[in-house]
């Protein structure tokens, strides 16, 4: 059951001009109903009584930090960098990933500031209800849920393809095995999930560091018989690649196409706050994780893009390998050229663990958002049932049911349709980032409207006042131009257009329908109960974590 730092059983109501505030004195429990007295229109909260009573705070600083890293370092890094180099060239790809890295920085800091203020299960889905409109929380929440319903079987299907690199064992064996393993991790103590992701993340970090160092050794001629390359491929065929157009315009389009794909490589960092109500000291832990995870992930990606651009030519035909296995990895291509035969199998093994790690993360995000929707009565109440050890088992079972869609991979025609549907969820990443930035912008505006200094926030950085609107503008531009190639002469693709843009009307439709049927309205800035929330934070301060000493201090540099 959930941990308690003493439980007071008294409850009372505080009246003030406008909103009606109900304070229930559980651990970090605060329910705010903003709107006309007696209205349940704009309901948003800190940790609710259900979360406090039924969920277990089993995640620690090291778990939270590496969960985000585990989600962001995956197939996009190990296998996908080659296509970015091919599309934009070494410098174009580097600039694209650097640009998106800055956007991710703004998103992470915005998420950290709002989560430190509202550390709830469901993260930015619940924040949207508190700060914007219940209909926005409903639309974003169900968008994430259905996206995860499809992404987990997609990861399982990818694992089947990866195993075919070694063996011809029937794919159904791997599907059943992975579903069983994923379910066991999802239904176990949340700490079990945290430990699994922690060790997988460490494995990936160590391996990507190894690949970066190996790439530099190969590039600088450290392997006997392999000539020094340096920046040879930056000179020939050149730092940029023309994409669709010609000249400078074509080079810019290559950069922009690469930037659009880079967004999805960084996907996963936003899930760091999904289980805030299951995290110890979330107001300290999650902002710290948001800040430090960004720098680690950005560092790995930027260095990887730089090294890959030095190792492989943008015109190398092996980058077109469609096997979905380690054969298309630029690291494998470079290692094969250097005569290092073990690297392909090692990369394939790491990508398998990455795919499974991603499915575990999608299970956590999907189930916690589903649980959060049920808390707000935007999903069936049966989803609120939890195990004695604090896991929403009905949500896990629902999510597990959709994993069996992976059996569609046994039919080639069905697999084509299945992956087409999976592509529909791709822009959901940008929609999630946009909602995080909107939530943060609304919080900043509400503080200014109510004349409360931003320094009152549990965690705040002065530059986020400027970075959030800029990043929001960039995310919207990328969202609406992600499928720009479909509008160029001779490149129209109906499936490409639909997969790039269908998620936008789906989210807008869900938003409008919930507003119509529930008659919700936007939360007014002066009615968001900020003062009461800040008072509750002062009443229930988190204990400071003791400083680490000895070996724990040095090894903890990876996540602290």
């Amino acid at each position: 059951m959930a941990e308690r730092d003493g439980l007071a059983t008294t409850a009372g109501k505080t009246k003030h001009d406008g909103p009606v505030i109900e304070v229930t004195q559980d651990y970090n429990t605060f329910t705010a109903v903003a709107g006309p007295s007696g209205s349940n229109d704009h309901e948003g909260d800190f940790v609710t009584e259900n979360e406090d009573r039924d969920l277990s705070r089993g995640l620690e600083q090291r778990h939270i930090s590496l969960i985000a890293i585990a989600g962001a370092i995956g197939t996009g890094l190990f296998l996908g960098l080659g296509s970015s180099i091919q599309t934009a060239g070494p410098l174009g790809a580097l600039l694209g990933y650097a640009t998106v890295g800055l956007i991710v920085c703004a998103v992470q800091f915005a998420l950290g500031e709002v989560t430190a203020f509202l550390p709830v299960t469901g993260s930015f889905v619940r924040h949207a209800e508190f700060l914007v409109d219940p209909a926005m929380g409903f639309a974003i929440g169900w968008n994430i849920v259905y996206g995860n319903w499809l992404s987990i079987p997609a990861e399982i299907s990818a694992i089947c393809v990866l195993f075919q690199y070694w063996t011809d064992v029937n794919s159904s064996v791997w599907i059943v095995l992975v579903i069983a393993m994923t379910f066991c991790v999802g239904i176990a103590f949340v700490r079990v999930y945290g430990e699994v992701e922690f060790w997988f993340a460490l494995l990936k970090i160590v391996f990507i560091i190894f690949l970066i160092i190996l790439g530099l050794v190969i590039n600088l001629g450290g392997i006997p018989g392999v000539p020094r390359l340096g920046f040879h491929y930056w000179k020939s065929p050149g730092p940029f690649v023309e994409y669709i157009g010609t000249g400078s315009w074509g080079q810019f389009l290559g950069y922009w196409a690469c930037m659009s794909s880079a967004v999805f490589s960084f996907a996963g960092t936003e899930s760091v706050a999904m289980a805030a109500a299951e995290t110890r000291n979330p107001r300290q832990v999650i902002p710290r994780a948001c800040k430090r995870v960004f720098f680690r992930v950005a560092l790995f990606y930027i260095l990887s893009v730089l090294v890959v651009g030095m190792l492989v030519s943008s015109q190398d035909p092996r980058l077109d390998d469609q096997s979905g296995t380690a054969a298309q990895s630029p690291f494998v291509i470079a290692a094969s050229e250097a005569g290092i035969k073990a690297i392909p199998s090692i990369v394939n093994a790491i990508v398998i663990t990455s795919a499974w790690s991603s499915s575990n993360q999608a299970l956590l995000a999907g189930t916690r958002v589903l649980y959060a929707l049920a808390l707000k009565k935007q999903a069936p109440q049966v989803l609120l049932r939890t195990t004695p050890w604090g896991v929403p088992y009905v949500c896990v079972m629902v999510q597990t049911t959709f994993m069996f869609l992976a059996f569609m991979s046994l039919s080639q025609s069905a697999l084509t349709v299945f992956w087409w549907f999976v592509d529909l969820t791709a822009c959901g990443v940008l929609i999630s980032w946009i909602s995080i930035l909107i939530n943060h912008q609304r919080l900043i505006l509400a503080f200014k409207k109510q004349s409360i200094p931003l320094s009152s926030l549990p965690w705040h950085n002065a530059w986020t006042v400027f970075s959030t609107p800029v990043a929001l503008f960039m995310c919207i531009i990328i969202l609406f131009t992600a499928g720009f190639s479909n509008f160029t002469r001779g490149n129209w693709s109906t499936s490409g257009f639909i997969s790039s843009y269908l998620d936008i009307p789906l989210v807008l439709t869900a938003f409008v329908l919930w507003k119509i049927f529930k008659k919700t309205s936007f939360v007014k800035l002066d009615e968001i109960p900020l003062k009461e929330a800040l008072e509750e934070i002062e009443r229930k301060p988190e204990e400071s974590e003791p400083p680490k000493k000895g070996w724990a201090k040095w090894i903890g540099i990876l996540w602290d």
Side-chain angles (χ1 to χ4, degrees), residues 163 338 518:
F163 269 112
K518 292 297 181 178

Side-chain angles (χ1 to χ4, degrees), residues 81 116 118 152 161 188 198-199 279 306 337 411 413 416 441 471 510 535 551:
L81 290 185
L118 299 168
I152 297 179
V161 174
F198 175 81
W199 291 107
T279 304
L306 177 62
E337 286 288 321
S411 166
S413 58
T416 301
Q441 185 65 25
E535 289 171 2
W551 67 270

Side-chain angles (χ1 to χ4, degrees), residues 328-377:
Q328 71 184 92
S329 171
F331 292 108
V332 170
I333 293 172
S336 299
E337 286 288 321
I340 306 174
K341 298 181 180 179
I343 292 298
S345 289
I346 295 175
V347 171
N348 206 58
I350 295 295
V351 175
I352 287 175
T353 64
S354 298
W356 187 51
S357 173
S358 296
S359 68
N360 287 335
Q361 188 184 55
L363 179 64
L364 180 82
T367 54
R368 271 42 177 192
V369 171
L370 200 54
Y371 181 85
L373 290 170
L375 278 175
K376 311 312 297 178
K377 298 183 179 175

Side-chain angles (χ1 to χ4, degrees), residues 395-409:
C395 294
V396 173
M397 292 171 66
V398 170
Q399 196 88 353
T400 302
T401 301
F402 283 88
M403 293 184 199
F404 288 92
L405 286 173
F407 279 100
M408 293 178 68
S409 63

Side-chain angles (χ1 to χ4, degrees), residues 201-285:
L202 278 183
L203 178 66
K204 285 191 276 189
I205 289 172
V206 170
F207 188 63
I208 195 60
I209 291 174
F210 165 74
L211 287 179
I212 290 171
I213 294 174
L214 176 64
L216 289 172
V217 170
I218 295 173
N219 181 266
L220 297 175
I223 304 296
V226 178
R228 183 181 182 277
L229 288 173
F231 284 91
H232 170 74
Y233 293 123
W234 285 53
K235 299 175 182 177
S236 177
F240 292 98
V241 171
E242 295 178 352
Y243 180 71
I244 297 179
T246 57
S248 299
W249 176 241
Q251 293 175 352
F252 172 79
L253 291 180
Y255 153 77
W256 194 261
C258 171
M259 189 165 65
S260 299
S261 63
V263 168
F264 309 115
S265 294
F266 281 101
T269 54
E270 70 277 2
S271 65
V272 67
M274 281 298 179
E278 296 168 82
T279 304
R280 297 177 184 176
N281 299 327
R283 292 192 180 95
Q284 300 174 53
V285 167

